[in-house]
Structure formats: structure tokens, C-alpha cells
Amino acid sequence: MAKFNISLTCEQATGTATPFLVGVSEDREWIDGPDGKRHPGSTIGTRYTVLMLQSECAPLVVKTPETTPAVSAEEVAAACLSGNFIRVRFEGFTASPYQGRNGLGISANAEKCMVVTPAANTSKT
């Protein structure tokens, strides 16, 4: 996996400073077992999946060292099903493009994730 020496902001990577959150999960380390297979180890943070608006809403996974997520996976799933997507903001966000087996990708990390507001509350009529 070849990384490029380019660092992107959240707005450059996702098309907005407050992207739509569509998934939350634990980020686990992977350990090589005695059977030669990789097994999940301890939790090392949280993985937030957001949408990249300028890339036909492709998903982007942002890893943080937070062991307690800013919002639960159940809350995210309920918001997505109701169409009231949750918007988040990341502190210390950095993203870098890389060349993988399946073409170009983006690797993203942040120090912290904060819930800004559900998307339904962002527009005023």
C-alpha cells in the first residue's frame, strides 16, 4: 500500500466540515494466533463511518483513539433508518490518499469525534 505525501482536511476529504455519520464500531487490534490466523484483540479506539459527499456518497472510515464512542451504533442506525442523519465534527482530523490493490483509497484518523446535530435540524424553513 503506497501512501502519498498529502494531508487532507475533513472538508477536503468528505466535502463538508460536518459529514453525515452512517456507522460506528469498535476499532480492534489484530493479533496473529498460534493457528496462523489473525484474531481480534483488545479495543484500541472507535471507527466512525461517514459519507464523502463529493464522491457519490462513498463511505470513509475515520479512526479515533476514543474507547467510548460519541454516539452509539444503535442511535446511528435509528437515525439512518428515519432519514435524520447525524452530523459530526472531528478534532485533529487528517486524511491521506493511498494506492491499494483496488485503486485509490483514503486513510483517515482524528483525535476526537463530536456530535454536532442531526441533519434534520440543520435546515430552517
Side-chain angles (χ1 to χ4, degrees):
M1 173 170 69
K3 274 198 161 187
F4 299 99
N5 193 19
I6 299 171
S7 183
L8 304 172
T9 65
C10 186
E11 194 164 355
Q12 290 169 327
T14 65
T16 179
T18 56
F20 294 114
L21 182 65
V22 294
V24 175
S25 63
E26 291 180 328
D27 187 17
R28 294 187 165 267
E29 67 179 338
W30 289 89
I31 301 169
D32 294 327
D35 57 359
K37 296 181 181 177
R38 297 189 62 157
H39 300 279
S42 60
T43 301
I44 57 173
T46 302
R47 297 165 54 103
Y48 296 94
T49 304
V50 297
L51 297 179
M52 294 188 291
L53 300 179
Q54 79 283 14
S55 297
E56 299 175 358
C57 291
L60 173 66
V61 175
V62 181
K63 295 181 180 183
T64 69
E66 302 169 300
T67 54
T68 303
V71 60
S72 73
E74 293 79 17
E75 290 173 296
V76 173
C80 289
L81 285 173
S82 69
N84 294 322
F85 294 98
I86 296 171
R87 284 190 177 260
V88 294
R89 181 178 308 277
F90 293 102
E91 281 184 10
F93 180 95
T94 59
S96 299
Y98 65 89
Q99 177 67 47
R101 287 180 278 202
N102 299 324
L104 288 175
I106 297 178
S107 172
N109 295 295
E111 295 169 10
K112 184 177 181 179
C113 177
M114 298 161 292
V115 173
V116 176
T117 183
N121 295 338
T122 60
S123 63
K124 297 180 180 179
T125 56

